[in-house]
């Protein structure tokens, strides 16, 4: 009998290890950030005017090209960093000089949005480009569903860039389970050939962990055993990130860097410049964590500059949701949400609007934009800038024109947000007026935003049982004046859009490779499909299947075609005959095509185990 298991539908077969420096080393030093150029601005769909917040405007200088002619990308995601916790967004008490310099030299977004007010759904949407009404993971892992996991149906921005041969790394907090290698939710299965950090959501709450994961291997940290606090995980994450840049400086790369700061608990080896402030210990440590995140970003940009690749690298810095108040941290002391209402867990602006800075000294013009920008835009943006195909069924839109210095980037008709999270904190529940444990939705269209609360956690209750509020963000960014009673038709229209935005299971358009195996025993059939789910035609598509020496493969259908238009697919079948008894033998299916001038490649695996009968 031969048992067949199917690997990731877009898994890349080649993984290369990277030798990293000692985990005990603590890093020091910072340098000034390079300077960029001029300004652009864009607004939401439906607005007839574009409000330029900086009067200067110029075309971006073309980026210095890598040997492959491609840009590098560094996506840095803070954990619970509030909209108002950076100096460039109004912070007065916490020092963030490196990020403020990036905001001045790059493009600062005033209306950027995390996809959810808590971690796991926000990160799933960021990686996959699907909002929280369509994404696989829509809740934090404390509910009845347990730890959220990605699936073979999920396609990340790393998978998009791997098709062009990018070296890809995820370092820091992954946040999805299970805590095991060789499964669809593991970063290695979702396009990241190099992973170091925390796999699950709960484990990432430990700043002095007894182990971290390197790809599929659990690496012990003996000095933290038994509750000892000798090795600070953010230092290990920084070391790996800088080493990844060093290792791949001569080839195109994507680094997804997700440190756990400033998430609770507020732990930092040194309160630093805040040690003498008249604040509580948690507040001093929280401020130190925000500043340490600032320092980390500075060290990354310094390393890019030192290696001579800053001019061909795009750096994007943002957060997964609003500021927290766990562990004794007081967001009101720091005005962590700026002028906005609510914090982490709220669907008011303070819970979902986040800082977002785009920087590249020779690629992105400097300025400020008020275009409402969800982080679901990252997948199509990175694919667009790299020249890779992207799925057309994502909710994000490419920011590439805006980052290239043009004002007219595509705009969203509306932005949808969903929350079903039973846990509350005092301030978040107060912002929700005691409704923090209820299921809630929000939707922004133009300057109007509706927030509505179900009577409990059942989304299927009739609209009449929901409590709905309506705000004009242009006149009332703090969401203090509810207009629902005065504008019932507008509130109803936004509620209708909310109903349409959430579906129990989101049907994906086929994209990349899928495999199907029929038959058991020494002879079986492998069916492969290469699907063009992008917007552009592919030329010269080809499917190949590699088997061990001595195995027999016979194609039962054509393996090539002249082209695949958008929405079309190439399907072929092979009859596979095993030559001898073997265990754990892997067959690799590869689909290639020409996307414009580039060849893209998608890879999937089939593993045959068991004994021949």
């Amino acid at each position: 009998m031969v048992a067949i298991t199917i690997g990731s539908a877009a898994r890349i077969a080649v993984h290369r290890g990277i030798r990293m420096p000692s985990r005990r080393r603590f890093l020091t030093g910072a340098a000034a950030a390079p300077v960029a150029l001029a300004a652009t601005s864009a607004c939401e769909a439906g607005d007839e005017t574009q409000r330029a917040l900086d009067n200067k405007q110029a075309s971006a200088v073309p980026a210095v090209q890598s040997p492959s002619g491609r840009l590098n990308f560094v996506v840095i995601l803070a954990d619970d960093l509030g909209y108002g916790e950076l100096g460039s967004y109004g912070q007065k008490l916490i020092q963030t000089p490196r990020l403020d310099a990036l905001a001045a030299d790059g493009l600062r977004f005033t209306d950027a949005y995390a996809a959810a007010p808590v971690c796991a759904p926000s990160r799933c949407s960021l990686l996959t480009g699907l909002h929280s009404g369509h994404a696989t993971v829509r809740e934090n892992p404390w509910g009845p569903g347990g730890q959220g996991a990605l699936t073979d149906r999920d396609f990340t921005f790393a998978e998009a860039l791997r098709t062009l041969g990018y070296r890809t790394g995820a370092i820091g907090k992954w946040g999805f389970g299970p805590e095991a290698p060789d499964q669809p939710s593991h970063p290695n299965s979702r396009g990241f050939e190099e992973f170091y950090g925390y796999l699950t959501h709960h484990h990432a709450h430990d700043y002095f962990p007894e182990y971290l994961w390197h790809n599929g291997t659990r690496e012990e940290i003996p000095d933290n055993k038994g509750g000892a606090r000798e090795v600070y995980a953010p230092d290990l994450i920084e070391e790996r990130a800088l080493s990844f840049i060093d290792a791949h400086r001569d080839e195109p790369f994507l680094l997804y860097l997700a440190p756990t700061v400033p998430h609770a608990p507020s732990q930092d080896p040194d309160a630093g410049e805040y040690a003498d402030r008249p604040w509580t210990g948690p507040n001093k440590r929280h401020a130190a964590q925000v500043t340490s995140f600032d320092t980390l970003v500075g060290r990354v940009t310094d390393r890019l500059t030192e290696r001579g690749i800053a001019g061909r690298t795009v750096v994007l810095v943002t957060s997964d949701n609003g500021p927290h108040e766990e562990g004794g941290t007081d967001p009101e002391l720091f005005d962590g949400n700026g002028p906005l209402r609510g914090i982490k867990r709220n669907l008011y602006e303070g819970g979902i609007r986040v800082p977002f800075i785009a920087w590249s000294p020779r690629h992105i013009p400097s300025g400020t934009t008020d275009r409402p920008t969800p982080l679901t835009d990252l997948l199509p943006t990175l694919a667009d800038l790299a020249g890779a195909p992207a799925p057309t069924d994502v909710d994000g839109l490419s920011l590439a024109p805006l980052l290239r210095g043009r004002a007219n980037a595509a705009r969203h008709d509306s932005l949808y947000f969903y929350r079903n999270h039973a846990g509350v904190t005092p301030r978040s529940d107060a912002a929700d007026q005691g409704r923090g444990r209820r299921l809630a939705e929000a939707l922004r269209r133009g300057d109007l935003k509706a927030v509505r609360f179900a009577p409990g956690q059942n989304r299927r209750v009739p609209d009449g049982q929901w409590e709905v509020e309506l705000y004009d963000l242009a006149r009332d960014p703090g969401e203090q004046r509810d207009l629902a009673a005065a504008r019932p038709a507008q509130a109803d229209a936004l509620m209708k859009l909310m109903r349409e935005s959430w579906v129990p299971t989101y049907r994906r358009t086929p994209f990349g490779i899928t495999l199907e195996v029929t038959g058991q025993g020494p002879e079986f059939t492998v069916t492969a499909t290469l699907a063009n789910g992008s917007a552009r035609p592919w030329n010269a598509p080809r499917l190949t299947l590699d088997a061990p020496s001595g195995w027999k493969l016979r194609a039962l259908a054509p393996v090539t075609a002249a082209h695949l238009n958008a929405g079309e697919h190439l399907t072929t079948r092979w009859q596979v005959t095993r030559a001898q008894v073997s265990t754990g033998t892997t067959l690799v299916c590869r689909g290639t095509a020409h996307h414009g001038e580039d060849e893209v490649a998608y890879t999937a695996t089939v593993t045959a185990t068991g004994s021949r009968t």
Side-chain angles (χ1 to χ4, degrees):
M1 178 88 53
V2 178
I4 303 295
T5 59
I6 304 300
S8 168
R11 182 178 299 170
I12 301 300
V14 179
H15 300 282
R16 302 179 191 174
I18 300 174
R19 184 174 180 84
M20 296 298 180
S22 166
R23 63 169 66 95
R24 294 298 304 276
R25 183 169 60 88
F26 281 51
L27 304 177
T28 58
V35 178
L37 301 175
T40 62
S41 177
C43 301
E44 176 67 83
D47 292 345
E48 295 182 358
T49 60
Q50 295 186 355
R51 294 171 289 171
L53 302 186
D54 187 318
N55 292 326
K56 297 178 296 179
Q57 185 166 347
S59 298
V61 174
V64 175
Q65 297 299 299
S66 67
S68 69
R70 303 196 189 283
L71 291 169
N72 305 317
F73 302 99
V74 180
V75 177
I76 307 177
L77 182 68
D79 201 342
D80 293 1
L81 179 71
Y83 183 83
E85 293 194 284
L86 303 182
S88 53
Y89 285 83
Q91 178 57 219
K92 303 300 183 185
L93 299 178
I94 303 174
Q95 301 301 308
T96 56
R98 302 307 304 273
L99 283 162
D100 298 343
L102 288 194
D105 295 340
L107 187 61
R108 184 174 69 90
F109 290 74
T110 65
D111 290 45
Y113 288 92
V118 290
C119 171
S122 176
R123 290 166 186 254
C124 177
S125 293
L126 176 143
L127 287 164
T128 64
L130 300 175
H131 65 54
S132 50
H134 292 158
T136 302
V137 179
R138 307 185 190 188
E139 302 172 15
N140 256 8
W142 315 128
Q147 172 70 62
L150 302 182
T151 72
D152 278 332
R153 296 185 303 275
D154 288 303
F155 186 84
T156 70
F157 53 64
E159 291 176 277
L161 269 58
R162 282 294 289 150
T163 64
L164 290 175
Y166 269 75
R167 309 309 300 272
T168 55
I171 298 175
K173 176 179 176 178
W174 182 242
F176 308 107
E179 193 171 36
D182 300 322
Q183 41 85 14
S185 190
H186 193 281
N188 291 158
S189 300
R190 301 271 58 86
F192 292 101
E193 59 174 346
E194 178 74 15
F195 170 69
Y196 181 79
Y198 305 89
L199 276 178
T200 63
H201 183 99
H202 180 73
H203 187 211
H205 295 174
D206 188 354
Y207 281 103
F208 297 90
E210 294 187 2
Y211 66 91
L212 290 172
W213 286 87
H214 180 209
N215 294 328
T217 302
R218 174 172 153 156
E219 291 190 349
E220 303 297 322
I221 306 176
D223 289 339
N224 285 345
K225 293 291 185 181
R229 297 170 61 177
E230 295 294 326
V231 180
Y232 190 51
D235 291 313
L236 306 183
I237 290 167
E238 179 180 313
E239 290 176 354
R240 296 286 176 130
L242 297 178
S243 295
F244 181 88
I245 293 171
D246 289 344
H248 301 299
R249 62 182 181 268
D250 295 327
E251 52 193 335
F253 66 80
L254 161 70
L255 170 61
Y256 170 52
L257 176 56
T260 52
V261 291
H263 193 288
S266 297
Q267 295 176 344
D268 194 285
D270 183 3
E273 61 193 284
Y274 308 105
D276 296 331
R277 299 293 177 91
W279 305 338
T280 64
N283 284 326
K284 293 178 183 179
R285 302 279 176 176
H286 176 78
Q289 284 185 325
V290 174
T291 296
S292 71
F293 175 74
D294 178 80
T295 302
L296 168 63
V297 175
R299 286 173 178 156
V300 168
T301 57
D302 287 345
R303 186 61 59 92
L304 296 171
T305 302
E306 292 162 5
R307 297 294 178 253
I309 58 175
R312 63 174 189 261
T313 304
V314 172
V315 178
L316 305 174
V317 185
T318 189
S319 175
D320 63 348
N321 49 245
H324 73 83
E325 64 169 329
E326 286 92 345
T329 299
D330 181 3
E332 294 179 4
L333 169 66
F334 302 110
D335 199 18
N337 55 1
L340 309 175
R341 175 180 177 179
I343 58 174
K344 177 181 178 180
R345 296 181 176 83
N346 297 127
L347 287 181
Y348 297 111
E349 294 289 287
I352 53 177
R353 197 186 294 197
V354 291
F356 182 31
I357 299 166
W359 175 85
S360 183
R362 297 187 182 181
H363 189 72
I364 296 175
S366 63
T368 305
T369 176
D370 60 0
R371 174 192 186 270
T373 301
L375 298 184
T376 52
D377 287 349
L378 263 62
L379 188 154
T381 299
L382 296 178
D384 195 352
L385 291 172
T392 57
D393 63 353
V394 297
D395 298 304
L397 298 173
S398 176
L399 294 170
L402 187 63
L403 299 183
R404 288 173 176 142
R406 304 168 194 158
N408 294 320
R411 303 164 187 155
H412 292 269
D413 178 72
S414 61
L415 306 181
Y416 171 81
F417 308 91
Y418 170 81
R419 181 201 71 189
N420 191 12
H421 186 75
V424 299
T425 59
R427 288 179 179 84
S428 68
D429 200 33
D432 279 338
Q433 298 178 321
R435 299 169 293 184
R437 288 184 171 85
R438 299 191 198 176
L439 186 148
E441 294 178 305
L443 187 136
R444 175 174 177 173
R445 190 178 196 188
D447 288 327
L448 286 181
K449 179 184 171 188
V451 182
R452 71 172 187 165
F453 298 86
Q457 292 185 314
N458 181 6
R459 191 182 180 276
R460 294 179 175 85
V461 299
D463 287 347
Q465 296 183 28
W466 294 69
E467 297 175 13
V468 62
E469 301 165 5
L470 183 69
Y471 300 98
D472 183 344
L473 296 178
R475 296 176 175 82
D476 180 25
E479 296 170 291
Q480 298 300 309
R481 295 183 294 278
D482 179 9
L483 304 174
R487 304 185 189 179
Q490 291 177 317
D492 288 345
L494 296 192
M495 282 208 298
K496 180 176 183 294
L497 289 173
M498 290 185 205
R499 286 197 306 271
E500 296 170 350
S501 296
W502 192 96
V503 294
T505 301
Y506 184 58
R507 261 182 208 281
R508 300 301 305 266
T509 300
F511 188 95
I513 279 188
T514 56
L515 293 178
E516 181 181 353
V517 176
T518 55
Q520 295 180 341
E523 188 172 278
F524 53 92
T525 301
V526 175
T527 302
T529 298
L530 176 64
N532 179 6
S534 74
R536 293 175 55 186
W538 294 352
N539 294 318
R542 173 181 291 272
L543 285 162
T544 59
L545 184 66
D546 295 331
S549 177
W551 285 39
K552 295 180 180 179
L553 300 177
R554 183 165 68 91
L556 304 177
V559 298
T560 63
H563 58 268
L564 290 179
N565 291 324
E568 294 182 343
H569 62 270
L570 169 66
T571 298
T572 194
R573 294 180 298 125
W574 290 272
Q575 181 177 294
V576 182
T577 304
R578 295 167 54 115
Q580 58 187 9
V581 176
S582 59
T583 301
T585 303
T586 298
L587 291 82
V588 179
C589 186
R590 179 178 170 86
T592 60
H594 285 90
H595 175 257
E597 297 180 356
D598 298 306
E599 182 180 85
V600 293
Y602 300 86
T603 305
T605 60
V606 176
T607 302
T609 61
S611 60
R612 181 176 179 176
T613 59

